[in-house]
C-alpha cells in the first residue's frame, strides 16, 4: 500500500518557498514549538478542529449535532472545548457559514502527485517544482521520501524546508532526492533556542554541517523576530554561518508576522507574543541593510 | 457639454432626408451628412492640439458613434426629444417641426426598418420598441437584439496615403467608369459629396483655429493654433505630409465616419512619426504633446467600452517604425496617467521586440488597466480557423470595443445580439417558463424533475440555446440587409475593401467579408450551475429536483443547507476536471452551434464572443437565484472569468482551466486576472514566467490588473465574491478573505491605489 500523510495544505502557484513557481505541500507535525510560528496549526501531527471565529454567527447549529459537547455559548460567546473533539466532522458539515473546519487530511502519494503534476508546465518554465514544508516534513519520513522520489522520476525539481531538528539518518537518506534544501536558522544561542522553540539547536547545527558536506545547495531561512532575534549578536552569527559555509545558495530573512496569533485561538491554544506587531517593510529593510553591512551579501528578504 | 434645445440641425437633417427620400440612397445619405457636418462639430477647446469634437444631435446618421441608446444608422432619440419638449425650451418656430420630426422618424429610423422586417419567428422572442435603453431593461429577456454597426476599422493607411484629394481622384475615376458602363455610379457620386462635406469640416475648423489664434494672448498657444490651422488647411487640399497632418486627418475621419475605434495606429502613423523625428521635423516632446491631446479627445468623446488603439503584432509591413510608434503610445499612457481610454491593446508574438511587452507589464504594474494583451501566436491561427480566412487576412484581426474580433478594413462583424445563457438555464429548469414574470420565454422542454439523467437535462438546455441562437443569427443577417437597403454608409464604403472596386456599398455586397457575432453572457455561471445540478441532483442525489427549484425560487432563504452544498460544488477556474469539463462542453456547444449559423444565413462568419462589459450585471438583474449559489438578481461572471472569484486555487490552476475551452471557434474572449503589486516588482520574474506559460499553453488574451484598494475593500464587504484575491504577507502568500480582520486591514492600509 502506498504511503499516506496528514497534509494540512497544498498551495499552488507558490513563489516564496524556493526558486520559480512551486507547489508547496504542507505536512502536519513538528517537534518545535516556536513562539513566533505562523502556522501553529501545523505543530500537532494529528488533524484538528479549527474555528474561524470571525465567521461565526452564533446560530448554534454546531452544538446541536455535536455528540461530544464541544460547543458552548456562554455570555453571547461561542466557546469550544477543543480537547473533547473526536473529529467526527458533523459540526463542520452543519455550519452553514464555513466557520468550522478540520485541519489536516490524510492524503495518499497519488493524490498529492496528481495536484503537483498539474502545474508541471509552470515548473519547467520557471525552474520551480515541489516544496515539501510543514510542520516538519521529515517527521513523516517514508511518505516524504517516496513522494520526492516520485517527483524526481517525473522530472519535478524538489525543495524541502526543514527545521533541522530531525534524525541525522533521515536527513542523510533523503538528501539525494532533494535539489535544494531550505534550512531554518532561528536563534544562535542554544539555551535561548530552547527557550523560544522548545529544543536546543546543537543537533540542528550538526545536521546543517552534514547537509552542507554533501554539497547540496542550501538556502538558509532565518525568521527574524523583533526583540528576540533582531540582535546584533544573532545577525553576526548569521554572518558567521555565511563565512563557514561559503557555498550557501542564499540567505533569506523572514520578518515576523503576527498572523499566527489568531490561528492559535482558532485551534484552542494560547496566544504568544500577543503584543508584538508585524514587522513593517521599513524595519525589514533595515535588517537587511545591517546584514549586508556585516558582509552578508547573499541575504535577501524572503 | 450641455445640449441646448435648439433643433435646427435636426430639422435640417430631417428636411434633407425627406427631400431626397426618393433619390438614390447614396445621394440621400450624402445630403444628410451635409446637414450634419460641420453642424455637430464643436469647438476646439483650450489645450486641444487636434481639432475634432462632436455633440451629436438627437436625430442624425452614424454607424455607431451617436448618442447612446440610438447609435445606429439613421437615428432619432425619442426619449431625449420628448425630454426637451417637456422642458419647454425649444424655440417657438421649431416646435411644430420637432413634433412632426418625432412622428416622421418613427417609421424611418434604421432600427424601425429592421423591426418592421422581423420574421414571424422573431416577433414573439425579440423585444422591439417596448424597451428603454440599457441599463434600464425592465423585462426578463433571453435573447436581445443590439442595434449599432460597431467595430468600424477603416483603411487608415489608404486614407493617409492618398489624402482626401487622392481619394476623390480615385472615386472620380471609378464613377466615370461606372457611368460609362451603366453601373451604379451614384454610389460614387454620394461619396464625393460626402468627401466635400469632410473638406468643409476641415475648413470649418481651420477658420476656427485662425480666429482662436488671433484671439489668443499667450504666444505659445497662438503659435499652436496657427500650426493647427495650417495642418487643417493642408488636410483639405493635400495628402498628409507630416505626422501632425496624419494624426489630425485620421482623428477627424474617425469622428466623422462615426467610428469609435482607432485601429492599428502603429502601422498607419509609424512611418510619419519616424520620418518627422529622424528629419528633425518634430521633437519627441512635441509628438508626445499631440498624443496627449489625442488621448484626451478619446477619453472625452468615446465610451468606456470602445476606443481601441492597437499596437504590435503580426502583419505589420513597417515593423521597425511601427514598434517605435508603439513605444510612443506606451509613453503616452505612462505620462498621461491612468485613464479608462483608449483601450490600448498590445498584440504580440514570439519574436517581437520583447521590450514592448516589458514596458506594457510595467504600466500594468503601475495600476493602468491597459494594455490588454493579445497573443498572436494563438489568435492568428485561431481567427484563420474561426473566421475561415487565409492567414494573411487573419493577421489583420482587430479586437473591437469589448473584444469581438473583426478584420481590419476587410471584414465587418458587428455584434447584433446578446444571449443570456444563465436565463436560458433558468427557464430550462421550469419548462420554458420565466418564474419571475410567469410568462413563457423558452421552449416547453419539461421541468427539472422530469429528467431522468443529467445528459437529458443538458440536451434540453442545448435545445433552448439553439432556438435562440438561430433567431439571433437571422436577426444579424436581417440587420445588414435592411441597413444596406437604407444607406450605403458612405464613409465606410469608400475605405473598406472591396466596395469601390465592386461598385457596391459595404452592406450591399461591397465588403469582402461580412460577418457577425453573438455576445453571450452568463456562460460561466450556467456551467457552474450545471455542475452543481449534476453533482447534487443526479450524481449524489443530495438535493432533489423539487427541493433545488424551491431553493432557487426562494433565493435560498430557508435553504441554507442547500445553499452551502451548492456553493461547495466544484467550480470552473480551479483546474477541476468535473467542473471544467462541463464548461468546455457548454462552450463547445455554444461556439459550434453559433458558428454553424453561417450555413443557414448569408453571413461569412457568425461567432460567439465572451466579453467584458456591463451586460453581465444588467442581464443578471432579471435572472433568479442560480444553482451555482449565485443569489437572485446578482451579476453574472464577466466573460470567461470564474464567477465571483471562484478561482481559489491560485493562478496556475486558474490558467489551467482558462486554456481548456478552445480558441478556434469563437471571435473573442476576455480573460481577467488579478495580481498583487509584488508580482510587478520583487516577484516580476515569476510573474513573467506565469504569463509566458499561460500564453504558451494556448492562452489567447489577458486583461491583467493589479489588486488595488478598491478590490480589497470590496473583499472585506463581500468576501464570498473575492476568493481569488491572494496577497503577500511576509514570506508567504495567503488568500485575502481567509485572513483575520486586523491583518486584512493592515494590508489594506499599505496599498497605495
Ligand atoms: S454552526 Fe457555525 S455559525 Fe453556527 S454557531 Fe456553530 S460555528 Fe457558529
Ligand atoms: S468534529 Fe464532531 S466532535 Fe468535534 S466538535 Fe464537531 S461535532 Fe463535535
Amino acid at each position: 500500500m502506498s504511503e499516506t500523510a496528514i497534509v494540512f495544505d497544498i498551495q499552488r502557484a507558490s513563489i516564496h518557498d524556493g526558486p520559480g513557481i512551486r507547489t508547496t505541500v504542507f505536512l502536519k507535525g513538528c517537534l518545535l514549538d516556536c513562539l513566533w510560528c505562523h502556522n501553529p496549526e501545523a505543530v500537532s501531527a494529528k488533524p484538528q478542529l479549527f474555528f474561524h471565529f470571525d465567521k461565526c454567527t452564533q446560530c448554534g447549529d454546531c452544538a446541536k449535532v455535536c455528540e461530544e459537547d464541544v460547543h458552548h455559548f456562554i455570555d453571547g460567546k461561542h466557546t469550544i472545548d477543543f480537547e473533547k473533539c473526536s473529529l467526527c466532522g458533523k459540526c463542520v458539515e452543519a455550519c452553514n457559514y464555513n466557520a468550522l473546519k478540520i485541519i489536516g487530511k490524510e492524503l495518499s502519494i497519488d493524490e498529492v502527485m496528481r495536484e503537483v503534476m498539474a502545474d508541471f508546465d509552470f515548473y519547467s518554465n520557471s525552474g520551480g517544482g515541489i516544496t515539501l514544508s510543514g510542520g516538519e516534513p521529515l517527521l513523516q519520513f517514508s511518505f516524504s521520501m517516496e513522494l520526492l522520489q516520485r517527483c524526481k522520476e517525473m522530472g519535478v525539481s524538489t525543495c524541502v524546508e526543514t527545521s533541522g531538528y530531525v534524525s541525522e539518518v533521515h536527513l542523510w537518506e533523503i538528501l539525494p532526492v532533494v535539489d535544494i534544501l531550505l534550512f531554518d536558522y532561528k536563534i544562535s544561542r542554544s539555551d535561548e533556542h530552547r527557550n523560544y522553540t522548545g529544543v536546543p539547536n546543537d543537533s540542528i547545527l550538526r545536521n546543517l554541517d552534514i547537509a552542507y558536506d554533501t554539497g547540496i545547495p542550501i538556502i538558509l531561512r532565518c525568521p527574524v523576530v523583533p526583540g528576540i532575534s533582531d540582535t546584533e549578536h544573532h545577525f553576526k552569527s548569521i554572518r558567521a554561518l555565511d563565512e563557514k559555509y561559503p557555498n550557501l545558495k542564499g540567505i533569506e530573512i523572514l520578518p515576523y508576522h503576527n498572523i499566527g496569533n489568531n490561528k492559535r485561538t482558532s485551534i484552542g491554544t494560547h496566544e504568544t507574543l500577543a503584543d508584538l506587531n508585524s514587522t513593517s517593510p521599513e524595519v525589514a529593510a533595515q535588517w537587511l541593510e545591517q546584514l549586508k553591512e556585516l558582509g552578508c551579501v547573499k541575504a535577501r528578504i524572503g | 457639454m450641455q445640449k441646448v434645445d435648439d433643433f435646427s440641425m435636426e430639422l435640417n437633417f430631417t428636411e434633407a432626408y425627406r427631400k431626397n427620400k426618393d433619390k438614390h440612397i447614396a445621394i440621400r445619405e450624402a445630403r444628410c451628412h451635409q446637414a450634419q457636418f460641420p453642424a455637430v462639430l464643436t469647438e476646439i477647446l483650450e489645450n486641444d492640439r487636434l481639432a475634432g469634437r462632436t455633440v451629436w444631435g438627437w436625430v442624425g446618421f452614424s454607424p455607431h458613434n451617436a448618442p447612446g441608446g440610438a447609435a445606429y444608422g439613421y437615428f432619432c432619440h425619442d426619449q431625449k426629444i420628448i425630454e426637451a419638449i417637456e422642458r419647454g425650451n425649444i424655440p417657438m418656430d421649431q416646435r411644430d417641426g420637432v413634433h412632426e420630426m418625432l412622428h416622421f422618424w418613427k417609421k424611418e429610423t434604421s432600427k424601425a426598418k429592421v423591426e418592421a422586417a422581423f420574421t414571424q419567428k422573431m416577433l414573439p422572442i425579440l423585444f422591439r420598441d417596448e424597451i428603454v435603453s440599457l441599463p434600464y431593461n425592465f423585462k426578463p429577456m433571453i435573447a436581445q437584439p443590439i442595434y449599432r454597426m460597431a467595430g468600424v476599422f477603416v483603411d487608415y493607411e489608404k486614407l493617409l496615403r492618398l489624402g482626401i484629394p487622392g481619394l476623390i481622384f480615385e472615386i472620380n475615376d471609378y464613377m466615370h467608369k461606372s457611368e460609362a458602363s451603366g453601373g451604379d455610379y451614384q454610389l460614387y457620386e454620394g461619396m464625393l459629396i460626402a468627401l466635400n462635406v469632410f473638406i468643409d469640416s476641415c475648413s470649418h475648423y481651420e477658420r476656427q483655429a485662425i480666429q482662436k489664434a488671433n484671439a489668443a494672448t499667450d504666444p505659445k498657444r497662438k503659435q499652436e493654433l496657427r500650426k493647427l490651422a495650417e495642418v487643417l488647411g493642408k488636410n483639405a487640399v493635400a495628402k498628409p505630409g507630416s505626422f501632425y497632418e496624419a494624426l489630425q486627418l485620421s482623428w477627424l475621419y474617425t469622428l466623422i465616419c462615426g467610428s469609435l475605434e482607432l485601429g492599428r495606429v502603429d502601422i498607419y502613423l509609424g512611418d510619419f512619426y519616424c520620418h518627422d523625428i529622424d528629419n528633425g521635423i518634430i521633437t519627441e516632446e512635441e509628438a508626445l504633446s499631440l498624443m496627449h491631446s489625442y488621448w484626451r479627445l478619446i477619453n472625452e468623446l468615446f465610451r468606456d467600452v470602445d476606443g481601441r488603439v492597437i499596437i504590435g503584432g503580426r502583419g505589420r509591413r513597417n515593423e521597425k517604425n511601427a514598434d517605435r510608434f508603439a513605444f510612443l503610445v506606451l509613453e503616452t499612457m505612462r505620462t498621461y496617467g491612468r485613464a479608462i481610454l483608449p483601450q490600448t491593446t498590445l498584440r504580440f508574438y514570439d519574436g517581437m521586440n520583447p521590450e514592448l511587452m516589458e514596458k506594457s507589464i510595467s504600466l500594468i504594474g503601475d495600476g493602468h488597466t491597459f494594455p490588454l494583451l493579445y497573443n498572436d501566436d494563438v489568435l492568428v491561427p485561431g481567427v484563420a480557423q474561426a473566421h475561415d480566412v487565409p492567414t494573411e487576412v487573419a493577421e489583420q484581426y482587430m479586437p473591437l470595443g469589448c473584444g469581438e474580433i473583426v478584420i481590419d478594413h476587410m471584414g465587418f462583424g458587428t455584434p447584433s445580439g446578446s444571449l443570456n445563457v444563465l436565463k436560458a438555464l433558468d427557464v430550462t429548469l421550469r419548462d420554458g417558463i420565466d418564474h419571475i414574470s410567469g410568462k413563457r420565454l423558452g421552449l416547453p422542454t419539461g421541468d427539472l424533475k422530469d429528467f431522468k439523467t443529467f445528459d437529458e437535462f443538458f440536451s434540453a438546455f442545448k435545445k433552448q440555446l439553439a432556438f435562440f441562437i438561430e433567431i439571433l443569427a437571422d436577426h444579424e443577417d436581417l440587420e445588414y440587409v435592411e441597413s444596406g437597403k437604407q444607406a450605403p454608409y458612405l464613409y465606410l464604403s469608400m475605405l473598406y475593401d472591396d466596395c469601390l472596386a465592386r461598385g457596391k456599398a459595404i452592406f450591399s455586397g461591397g465588403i469582402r467579408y461580412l460577418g457577425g457575432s453573438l455576445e453571450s453572457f452568463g456562460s460561466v455561471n450556467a456551467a457552474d450551475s450545471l455542475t452543481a445540478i449534476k453533482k447534487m441532483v443526479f450524481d449524489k442525489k443530495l438535493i432533489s429536483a423539487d427541493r433545488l427549484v424551491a431553493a432557487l425560487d426562494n433565493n435560498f432563504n430557508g435553504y441554507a443547507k442547500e445553499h452551502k452544498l451548492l456553493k461547495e460544488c466544484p467550480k470552473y477556474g480551479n483546474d477541476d476536471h468535473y467542473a471544467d469539463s462541463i464548461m468546455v462542453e457548454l462552450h463547445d456547444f455554444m461556439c459550434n452551434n453559433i458558428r454553424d449559423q453561417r450555413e443557414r444565413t448569408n453571413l461569412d462568419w457568425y461567432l460567439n464572443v465572451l466579453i467584458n462589459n456591463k451586460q453581465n450585471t444588467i442581464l443578471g438583474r432579471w435572472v433568479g437565484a442560480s444553482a451555482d449559489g449565485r443569489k437572485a438578481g446578482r451579476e453574472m461572471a464577466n466573460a470567461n472569468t470564474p464567477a465571483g472569484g471562484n478561482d481559489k486555487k491560485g493562478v496556475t490552476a486558474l490558467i489551467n482551466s482558462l486554456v481548456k475551452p478552445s480558441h478556434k471557434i469563437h471571435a473573442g474572449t476576455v480573460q481577467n486576472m488579478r495580481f498583487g503589486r509584488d508580482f510587478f516588482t520583487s516577484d516580476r520574474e515569476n510573474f513573467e514566467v506565469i504569463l509566458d506559460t499561460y500564453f504558451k499553453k494556448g492562452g489567447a488574451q489577458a486583461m491583467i490588473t493589479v489588486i488595488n484598494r478598491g478590490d480589497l475593500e470590496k473583499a472585506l464587504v463581500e468576501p464570498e465574491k473575492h476568493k481569488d484575491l491572494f496577497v503577500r504577507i511576509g514570506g508567504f502568500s495567503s488568500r485575502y478573505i481567509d485572513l483575520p480582520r486586523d491583518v486584512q486591514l493592515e494590508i489594506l492600509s499599505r496599498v497605495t491605489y
Side-chain angles (χ1 to χ4, degrees):
Chain A
M1 203 196 81
S2 178
E3 289 285 340
T4 61
I6 306 297
V7 175
F8 82 87
D9 198 8
I10 297 184
Q11 208 181 78
R12 283 165 71 169
S14 158
I15 53 169
H16 314 298
D17 301 315
I21 318 282
R22 317 193 69 89
T23 297
T24 306
V25 179
F26 295 90
L27 302 188
K28 253 169 105 41
C30 181
L31 297 176
L32 277 63
D33 195 0
C34 308
L35 268 188
W36 52 83
C37 179
H38 66 236
N39 283 335
E41 73 276 34
V43 175
S44 156
K46 295 201 197 83
Q48 63 201 118
L49 187 68
F50 187 99
F51 176 48
H52 221 307
F53 42 89
D54 283 350
K55 292 186 181 171
C56 175
T57 63
Q58 314 231 10
C59 70
D61 285 355
C62 48
K64 283 184 211 142
V65 295
C66 179
E67 284 161 20
E68 312 291 341
D69 195 26
V70 171
H71 302 274
H72 297 275
F73 297 86
I74 306 161
D75 298 335
K77 204 169 171 270
H78 182 174
T79 58
I80 294 181
D81 209 339
F82 287 93
E83 306 275 281
K84 287 199 215 151
C85 172
S86 68
L87 298 171
C88 73
K90 281 186 189 140
C91 61
V92 176
E93 210 180 293
C95 175
N96 289 327
Y97 303 93
N98 294 317
L100 293 164
K101 62 180 170 186
I102 288 173
I103 294 266
K105 199 175 165 193
E106 185 170 349
L107 292 180
S108 71
I109 299 223
D110 284 345
E111 286 169 303
V112 175
M113 275 312 278
R114 211 169 302 136
E115 187 104 22
V116 169
M117 289 312 290
D119 284 348
F120 187 80
D121 295 340
F122 292 92
Y123 310 148
S124 34
N125 279 344
S126 67
I130 186 178
T131 296
L132 211 49
S133 181
E136 171 52 63
L138 291 198
L139 290 185
Q140 304 195 50
F141 177 75
S142 350
F143 176 90
S144 294
M145 186 74 198
E146 198 181 324
L147 178 63
L148 294 175
Q149 262 163 354
R150 289 271 296 277
C151 285
K152 295 302 297 174
E153 281 161 24
M154 302 302 290
V156 174
S157 119
T158 57
C159 279
V160 167
E161 174 166 34
T162 179
S163 65
Y165 195 70
V166 293
S167 131
E168 254 178 61
V169 182
H170 282 167
L171 181 68
W172 197 74
E173 270 183 63
I174 210 161
L175 287 181
V177 287
V178 180
D179 293 318
I180 299 173
L181 193 63
L182 310 176
F183 201 104
D184 292 357
Y185 181 62
K186 303 171 198 280
I187 300 284
S188 37
R189 272 203 276 263
S190 192
D191 53 337
E192 279 185 21
H193 198 281
R194 184 201 291 272
N195 281 344
Y196 290 119
T197 73
V199 303
N201 69 2
D202 316 70
S203 65
I204 296 177
L205 291 174
R206 208 163 43 241
N207 277 336
L208 180 57
D209 243 5
I210 292 172
Y212 186 82
D213 284 344
T214 66
I216 185 172
I218 296 176
I219 297 174
L220 210 58
R221 302 191 106 193
C222 315
V224 178
V225 186
I228 297 177
S229 47
D230 61 343
T231 60
E232 171 98 21
H233 175 263
H234 184 56
F235 287 168
K236 278 189 175 151
S237 352
I238 294 176
R239 173 59 186 147
L241 285 183
D242 189 18
E243 275 174 304
K244 180 174 177 196
Y245 304 121
N247 294 330
L248 279 182
K249 191 177 156 63
I251 296 172
E252 289 178 2
I253 56 174
L254 309 174
Y256 172 74
H257 199 289
N258 67 4
I259 184 171
N261 262 332
N262 287 65
K263 295 201 267 183
R264 280 193 174 78
T265 12
S266 288
I267 53 171
T269 58
H270 292 295
E271 285 197 25
T272 53
L273 305 177
D275 301 325
L276 193 56
N277 287 328
S278 299
T279 318
S280 70
E282 295 75 28
V283 170
Q286 273 171 23
W287 290 341
L288 185 64
E289 195 50 37
Q290 259 174 285
L291 276 167
K292 294 236 155 126
E293 269 166 27
L294 290 169
C296 240
V297 286
K298 280 175 204 159
R300 58 180 214 94
I301 295 174
Chain B
M1 197 194 288
Q2 176 69 41
K3 175 92 170 63
V4 291
D5 297 338
D6 170 15
F7 280 90
S8 44
M9 190 288 294
E10 286 87 344
L11 292 167
N12 286 341
F13 185 96
T14 307
E15 190 53 26
Y17 183 93
R18 268 187 168 146
K19 251 206 213 141
N20 294 286
K21 194 151 188 278
D22 299 324
K23 298 242 176 73
H24 191 286
I25 55 169
I27 305 295
R28 179 174 72 189
E29 186 193 316
R31 295 294 171 210
C32 286
H33 284 309
Q34 222 163 12
Q36 187 167 242
F37 301 112
V40 301
L41 298 175
T42 58
E43 240 184 306
I44 300 164
L45 297 185
E46 201 56 47
N47 295 327
D48 280 357
R49 305 283 324 265
L50 298 169
R53 289 176 174 269
T54 42
V55 173
W56 294 86
W58 300 129
V59 168
F61 180 88
S62 171
H64 189 198
N65 189 357
Y72 163 51
Y74 288 105
F75 62 86
C76 173
H77 207 306
D78 297 0
Q79 198 188 327
K80 296 288 180 189
I81 296 171
I82 290 168
E83 277 168 24
I85 292 172
E86 290 280 310
R87 273 195 299 272
N89 289 336
I90 301 171
M92 261 316 186
D93 58 341
Q94 291 184 4
R95 291 193 182 174
D96 283 342
V98 169
H99 283 287
E100 213 186 317
M101 175 176 83
L102 201 56
H103 292 191
F104 174 76
W105 287 107
K106 208 69 196 165
K107 286 202 294 273
E108 285 301 319
T109 62
S110 299
K111 181 167 169 251
K113 296 277 183 195
V114 179
E115 288 178 345
F118 270 16
T119 61
Q120 282 308 315
K121 207 169 160 195
M122 291 173 193
L123 280 169
I125 301 301
L126 298 179
F127 291 85
R128 286 178 293 160
D129 223 18
E130 49 200 314
I131 55 163
V132 286
S133 57
L134 299 173
Y136 303 106
N137 286 340
F138 51 75
K139 279 190 177 176
M141 296 181 287
I142 295 177
Q144 40 273 303
I146 304 174
Y147 293 101
R148 61 183 178 195
M149 285 294 149
V152 175
F153 291 100
V154 297
D155 191 347
Y156 285 104
E157 279 216 82
K158 182 171 175 183
L159 173 70
L160 300 185
R161 193 174 65 242
L162 298 179
I164 301 299
L167 210 49
I168 290 179
F169 187 81
E170 187 178 318
I171 294 172
N172 219 349
D173 205 36
Y174 275 116
M175 184 171 74
H176 291 311
K177 281 187 196 140
S178 167
E179 204 173 355
S181 63
D184 182 16
Y185 71 94
Q186 282 186 300
L187 172 65
Y188 301 112
E189 200 183 324
M191 289 177 180
L192 292 176
I193 301 172
L195 283 172
N196 274 316
V197 171
F198 189 85
I199 291 173
D200 287 346
S201 301
C202 292
S203 309
H204 162 84
Y205 273 131
E206 183 192 2
R207 281 193 301 278
Q208 200 181 93
I210 293 169
Q211 278 164 13
K212 285 191 178 280
N214 291 340
T217 47
D218 174 21
K220 181 168 169 264
R221 183 62 185 154
K222 213 181 210 12
Q223 182 56 32
E224 282 176 359
L225 285 161
R226 289 227 168 93
K227 179 77 198 161
L228 177 58
E230 190 189 307
V231 165
L232 287 157
K234 276 285 203 38
N235 277 177
V237 297
K239 67 179 185 188
S242 69
F243 170 63
Y244 198 163
E245 288 168 25
L247 186 63
Q248 173 63 57
L249 180 62
S250 68
W251 169 247
L252 194 58
Y253 198 92
T254 303
L255 214 56
I256 286 185
C257 81
S259 171
L260 286 170
E261 315 288 353
L262 295 312
R264 300 189 85 170
V265 289
D266 58 345
I267 307 184
Y268 68 80
L269 293 170
D271 294 351
F272 287 98
Y273 165 72
C274 294
H275 173 270
D276 286 10
I277 291 285
D278 294 347
N279 292 288
I281 295 166
I282 195 173
T283 60
E284 290 287 357
E285 198 193 343
E286 172 74 353
L288 201 58
S289 154
L290 294 176
M291 290 298 283
H292 276 224
S293 186
Y294 186 49
W295 241 238
R296 193 164 47 242
L297 287 166
I298 295 169
N299 269 291
E300 289 175 12
L301 292 167
F302 287 3
R303 293 184 282 266
D304 56 357
V305 292
D306 299 299
R308 287 270 183 170
V309 161
I310 299 167
I311 55 174
R314 290 191 184 279
R316 292 177 300 159
R317 53 158 184 83
N318 54 348
E319 179 138 358
K320 273 221 171 71
N321 286 349
D323 278 356
R324 282 173 64 187
F325 189 79
F327 284 116
L328 178 66
V329 165
L330 297 176
E331 186 58 12
T332 307
M333 283 179 68
R334 191 183 69 80
T335 49
Y336 187 87
R338 293 192 283 271
I340 55 161
L341 280 172
Q343 296 204 69
T344 308
T345 297
L346 177 73
R347 287 179 45 177
F348 64 91
Y349 62 92
D350 201 10
M352 192 172 86
N353 184 349
E355 243 184 278
L356 279 171
M357 180 60 103
E358 281 160 29
K359 282 232 159 70
S360 299
I361 291 178
S362 297
L363 283 170
I364 295 168
D366 288 337
H368 294 260
T369 350
F370 306 109
L372 309 170
L373 306 176
Y374 281 74
N375 183 3
D376 277 10
D377 294 325
V378 169
L379 281 164
V380 169
V383 170
Q385 192 176 322
H387 294 65
D388 196 13
V389 293
T391 303
E392 320 80 75
V393 173
E395 280 180 347
Q396 301 305 330
Y397 80 86
M398 306 289 254
L400 70 92
C402 324
E404 303 88 339
I405 289 175
V406 294
I407 315 281
D408 199 8
H409 66 80
M410 282 180 267
F412 207 82
T414 193
S416 78
S418 77
L419 179 61
N420 187 341
V421 181
L422 191 59
K423 186 77 203 170
L425 184 62
D426 221 15
V427 304
T428 311
L429 293 169
R430 302 170 175 94
D431 194 31
I433 305 293
D434 168 42
H435 67 296
I436 297 172
S437 62
K439 290 190 182 141
R440 169 164 302 287
L441 282 188
L443 304 170
T445 48
D447 288 317
L448 179 61
K449 65 173 175 349
D450 301 333
F451 298 100
K452 280 183 208 69
T453 65
F454 173 73
D455 288 343
E456 271 177 36
F457 175 69
F458 203 165
S459 301
F461 179 43
K462 289 176 183 170
K463 209 169 136 191
Q464 300 274 8
L465 292 171
F467 172 72
F468 293 106
I469 289 169
E470 261 193 25
I471 291 174
L472 286 169
D474 289 345
H475 178 263
E476 174 108 42
D477 209 2
L478 183 73
E479 200 174 291
Y480 286 132
V481 170
E482 292 302 316
S483 300
K485 277 192 208 158
Q486 208 194 7
Y489 291 75
L490 296 167
Y491 290 117
L492 271 47
S493 291
M494 61 181 102
L495 285 175
Y496 259 94
D497 310 359
D498 306 305
C499 300
L500 288 182
R502 292 184 188 171
K504 287 180 177 169
I506 181 165
F507 304 127
S508 310
I511 194 171
R512 195 175 307 168
Y513 305 106
L514 190 59
S517 53
L518 179 155
E519 297 182 356
S520 59
F521 295 95
S523 286
V524 174
N525 294 94
D528 284 345
S529 298
L530 287 167
T531 300
I533 292 169
K534 177 168 191 237
K535 190 154 197 136
M536 289 296 124
V537 179
F538 292 98
D539 288 2
K540 291 202 158 178
K541 299 191 173 24
L542 285 174
I543 306 175
S544 72
D546 281 338
R547 186 124 184 110
L548 176 76
V549 175
L552 300 181
D553 285 347
N554 288 291
N555 201 17
F556 306 113
N557 292 318
Y559 295 84
K561 179 96 279 164
E562 284 75 11
H563 197 197
K564 181 189 178 195
L565 286 172
L566 293 167
K567 280 195 287 186
E568 281 171 1
C569 284
K571 302 277 187 268
Y572 171 67
N574 296 294
D575 198 9
D576 179 309
H577 181 71
Y578 194 98
D580 291 355
S581 62
I582 289 181
M583 175 66 190
V584 169
E585 185 175 345
L586 179 61
H587 175 86
D588 283 354
F589 170 77
M590 293 267 305
C591 292
N592 286 323
N593 191 285
I594 294 168
R595 191 168 180 273
D596 289 345
Q597 299 302 313
R598 62 192 193 142
E599 313 295 338
R600 298 180 44 255
T601 60
N602 298 309
L603 301 168
D604 289 312
W605 70 72
Y606 187 62
L607 299 165
N608 189 18
V609 287
L610 301 101
I611 48 173
N612 269 0
N613 57 29
K614 294 173 219 107
Q615 294 251 11
N616 62 313
T617 309
I618 295 165
L619 297 179
R621 214 161 278 156
W622 291 109
V623 183
S626 43
D628 58 343
R630 178 191 141 280
K631 303 266 267 189
R634 298 309 301 267
E635 68 273 23
M636 307 186 291
N638 228 337
N640 217 8
T641 309
N646 265 333
D647 46 324
K648 48 186 183 183
K649 278 216 152 173
V651 66
T652 53
L654 167 67
I655 286 173
N656 288 346
S657 285
L658 289 181
V659 298
K660 285 177 194 173
S662 163
H663 290 302
K664 299 198 151 150
I665 45 180
H666 61 72
T669 61
V670 176
Q671 318 283 359
N672 303 287
M673 292 184 218
R674 297 195 281 191
F675 289 90
R677 171 101 179 109
D678 307 292
F679 274 102
F680 300 88
T681 53
S682 48
D683 302 325
R684 171 126 176 190
E685 219 176 293
N686 282 322
F687 171 69
E688 285 178 12
V689 173
I690 290 173
L691 209 55
D692 188 56
T693 311
Y694 164 64
F695 288 126
K696 288 222 170 84
K697 284 177 88 112
Q701 195 273 353
M703 162 138 191
I704 296 167
T705 44
V706 186
I707 294 171
N708 59 32
R709 266 196 91 79
D711 293 329
L712 298 182
E713 280 163 356
K714 280 184 215 143
L716 288 178
V717 183
E718 287 194 292
E720 281 299 293
K721 294 199 169 155
H722 294 85
K723 288 178 272 212
D724 63 325
L725 283 181
F726 281 83
V727 290
R728 182 170 178 157
I729 312 169
F732 56 97
S733 295
S734 182
R735 192 172 315 137
Y736 187 66
I737 62 159
D738 285 347
L739 293 167
R741 195 67 169 193
D742 54 341
V743 179
Q744 289 176 330
L745 293 174
E746 184 245 347
I747 290 169
L748 182 65
S749 71
R750 293 197 172 279
V751 178
T752 46
Y753 52 77

